[in-house]
Amino acid sequence: MKLYSYFRSSAGWRVRIALALKGLDFDLVPVHLLRDGGEHLKPDYAKTNPQGLVPALEVDDKVFTQSLAIMEYLEETYPEPSLLPGDAARRAEIRAFCQAIACEIHPLNNLRILKYLVRDLGHDEETKLAWYAHWIREGFGPVERLLEREEGPYCFGAQPTLADACLVPQVFNAERFNVDLSDFPKVRAVNAACLDLEAIAATVPSLQPDAE
Ligand SMILES: N[C@@H](CCC(=O)N[C@@H](CS)C(=O)NCC(=O)O)C(=O)O
């Protein structure tokens, strides 16, 4: 398996966590999102992912894109340990949690959105950071409420699931942009529990081969 990713990509990190929890090896193909205008925007990479985004996962002669779809593919292909456990209702809750992060928070704070705010719309750095913090806080509010219903220590109980794979990178990202997360104690506690796991600790951006 080949994972096209960038060490700081949140979506790529989700997939790294799923691979690590399932004990699956992969070869990294680094795609630098900043160098030379962004390697993900080059015609060569468009052959791998026409959307020009990371991650992409190449398995034999197929390439899968979109982190949630990739993680579901891994779950179906390598069912143990399950990252989407429980009955249909429980699995719907886990998927909804994943989407609360991957579809509601992350798209508003992605590199190309932040670049557009500054480069095309002429906003300054301070406005960009205010935008970033606003959407993190708007998004983490409901996420915190969802976690309050659960026992922990992970998002949905005693074992990490796809929900945790989505949460950890988003928290890292928020901290990187100095967003105050003190209103979200559950989010922080679950993140800490995840990072205590050896498998997840090994997936942090600074430990990746392409880290800078
Ligand atoms: N919904 C996609 C999001 C993929 C995505 O936006 N990846 C980011 C890195 S986290 C990217 O490639 N950004 C490049 C850009 O915004 O120009 C997924 O979950 O895979």
Side-chain angles (χ1 to χ4, degrees):
M1 270 189 286
K2 279 189 200 165
L3 179 66
Y4 295 77
S5 190
Y6 176 61
F7 71 109
R8 260 198 311 248
S9 154
S10 307
W13 189 0
R14 290 175 202 146
V15 175
R16 280 208 301 277
I17 292 176
L19 288 163
L21 290 172
K22 288 183 177 292
L24 298 169
D25 286 333
F26 63 93
D27 293 320
L28 173 72
V29 183
V31 180
H32 203 293
L33 296 187
L34 304 175
R35 187 184 300 144
D36 194 18
E39 291 172 356
H40 59 304
L41 301 174
K42 305 288 178 212
D44 242 19
Y45 185 66
K47 291 180 207 147
T48 302
N49 182 356
Q51 273 196 294
L53 300 171
V54 295
L57 186 73
E58 191 175 315
V59 184
D60 301 326
D61 58 349
K62 288 211 179 308
V63 179
F64 304 109
T65 62
Q66 288 291 339
S67 61
L68 299 185
I70 295 172
M71 293 196 295
E72 293 249 5
Y73 165 82
L74 292 172
E75 176 68 12
E76 288 178 19
T77 316
Y78 304 93
E80 295 299 330
S82 177
L83 303 180
L84 198 51
D87 60 11
R90 191 62 167 164
R91 294 200 300 276
E93 288 175 345
I94 296 172
R95 289 186 174 106
F97 186 97
C98 291
Q99 291 179 25
I101 292 176
C103 306
E104 309 296 341
I105 302 179
H106 180 248
L108 289 163
N109 287 342
N110 217 322
L111 176 64
R112 61 196 177 284
I113 279 69
L114 300 181
K115 267 188 355 199
Y116 182 69
L117 285 174
V118 174
R119 200 183 46 194
D120 300 87
L121 300 182
H123 291 295
D124 58 17
E125 198 61 20
E126 197 184 330
T127 307
K128 179 187 97 173
L129 294 177
W131 166 286
Y132 186 94
H134 172 79
W135 291 115
I136 285 286
R137 296 178 60 78
E138 282 284 307
F140 271 171
V143 163
E144 179 77 10
R145 302 288 92 74
L146 290 173
L147 292 178
E148 280 167 0
R149 298 179 184 171
E150 300 292 329
E151 299 283 311
Y154 305 107
C155 289
F156 287 89
Q159 299 298 326
T161 64
L162 296 185
D164 300 278
C166 291
L167 185 77
V168 170
Q170 196 62 66
V171 171
F172 173 88
N173 225 288
E175 287 173 342
R176 193 162 79 87
F177 281 85
N178 297 317
V179 180
D180 177 13
L181 297 183
S182 54
D183 287 341
F184 314 111
K186 285 276 181 191
V187 165
R188 287 185 291 118
V190 170
N191 180 60
C194 288
L195 290 171
D196 273 349
L197 287 176
E198 217 172 292
I200 295 187
T203 65
V204 300
S206 58
L207 296 180
Q208 303 317 301
D210 58 332
E212 292 166 353

